[in-house]
Amino acid sequence: MSESRTRHRAAAAVLGAVALTAGAITTGLTLPAASAASWPSPNGSQAVTKSIPVSGTVDGGMKRYYGSGDLGSGGQDEGQDPLFDLKDGATLKNVILGAPAADGVHCAGSCTLQNVWWEDVGEDAATFRGTGKTYNVIGGGARKASDKVFQFNGGGTLNISGFAVQDFGKLVRSCGNCSSQYKRTINVSNTEVTAPGKAIGGINTNYGDSLTLRGITIIGDSSKKIVPCQKYIGNNTGKEPTENGSGPDGTYCKYSSSDITYR
């Protein structure tokens, strides 16, 4: 894809994110569905042998970064280091994460991931930490995530807009068994979901989590196997959480049939 088209999609995603106001969520305004994803071509490549710290804003210029050395196993082991380690308040934009991607991106606190693409998700694409923070994913996409794309371990609000996901387990999971648990609010809008996949989001009802879906397009899932919102009973003991139903309820899973388009 040309650089101009990449910039166009990034700009469109930003506009979509701006449209996702608190009022749109609370009033139930149905936002337009995402357009078909155009996966970008990299502008060069760079091996990463040690996590890259990010403070302030870093623009990768659409370069591909991939793990090497200690970050090059490509496995699913928990506890791997990330390619990018974002400090509280940092922004990472216009980056492609190639394979192996280790544990992708870590956010120590509030962060923004803008037009970031994962060609082959490693352990997780991004992990969000901290308490009472706001995390924004604007544009970009991820594919080949055998488990989760986004792991929400901290507390606060995670906003995902203008995103595209293909071949995945869950797009986002509120941690089901972290030693410290919080109430987590997740908003997903104008996002394209392409089968195969298991669930868009997983949340813990016993901690007061919520998942709001607006303008979701699901592609290639005529049998509707992808669960929009899976509910769990979470814990802080490390045990596997138990499922607690699925589907819209107005409290934990906030969406209606008009918020999801199948094609």
Side-chain angles (χ1 to χ4, degrees):
M1 187 180 71
S2 67
E3 184 178 0
S4 61
R5 289 180 61 193
T6 299
R7 289 176 176 171
H8 175 75
R9 176 171 171 80
V14 171
L15 291 175
V18 172
L20 182 62
T21 63
I25 291 296
T26 56
T27 59
L29 175 65
T30 300
L31 300 174
S35 60
S38 297
W39 293 79
S41 298
N43 182 22
S45 295
Q46 178 177 325
V48 179
T49 58
K50 184 178 180 180
S51 299
I52 300 172
V54 177
S55 297
T57 298
V58 169
D59 187 333
M62 298 311 295
K63 182 183 290 186
R64 175 193 284 133
Y65 295 83
Y66 62 93
S68 182
D70 291 342
L71 297 179
S73 70
Q76 292 292 316
D77 297 336
E78 295 290 337
Q80 293 185 64
D81 288 332
L83 296 188
F84 292 93
D85 197 356
L86 274 61
K87 308 304 181 185
D88 190 10
T91 294
L92 179 67
K93 63 181 182 179
N94 300 326
V95 165
I96 299 173
L97 278 72
D103 201 27
V105 177
H106 285 184
C107 286
S110 294
C111 69
T112 296
L113 306 179
Q114 181 179 338
N115 199 37
V116 177
W117 299 80
W118 290 262
E119 294 179 329
D120 189 338
V121 174
E123 183 183 349
D124 298 315
T127 302
F128 304 99
R129 299 172 174 170
T131 59
K133 302 295 184 176
T134 299
Y135 318 86
N136 296 306
V137 178
I138 304 170
R143 54 190 175 194
K144 300 180 183 179
S146 60
D147 190 7
K148 305 170 296 295
V149 176
F150 297 123
Q151 176 71 30
F152 196 178
N153 289 349
T157 301
L158 170 60
N159 301 309
I160 303 169
S161 62
F163 199 73
V165 61
Q166 302 178 359
D167 188 7
F168 64 103
K170 295 180 181 69
L171 171 59
V172 58
R173 177 68 170 104
S174 175
C175 185
N177 54 14
C178 286
S179 58
S180 296
Q181 290 285 26
Y182 312 94
K183 177 180 179 180
R184 303 175 178 102
T185 300
I186 304 171
N187 303 309
V188 182
S189 69
N190 302 336
T191 288
E192 178 186 283
V193 177
T194 301
K198 294 180 180 178
I200 295 176
I203 57 174
N204 306 312
T205 58
N206 57 317
Y207 294 121
D209 293 352
S210 66
L211 170 64
T212 299
L213 302 176
R214 296 287 186 267
I216 306 299
T217 300
I218 299 180
I219 300 172
D221 185 32
S222 58
S223 58
K224 298 184 178 181
K225 291 183 178 180
I226 297 174
V227 178
C229 182
Q230 179 65 57
K231 291 174 272 192
Y232 293 90
I233 300 296
N235 64 75
N236 61 0
T237 64
K239 294 182 179 179
E240 192 67 23
T242 57
E243 293 185 354
N244 190 32
S246 62
D249 54 29
T251 300
Y252 306 108
C253 296
K254 300 179 180 181
Y255 67 96
S256 64
S257 58
S258 62
D259 293 309
I260 301 177
T261 300
Y262 290 86
R263 75 166 195 257

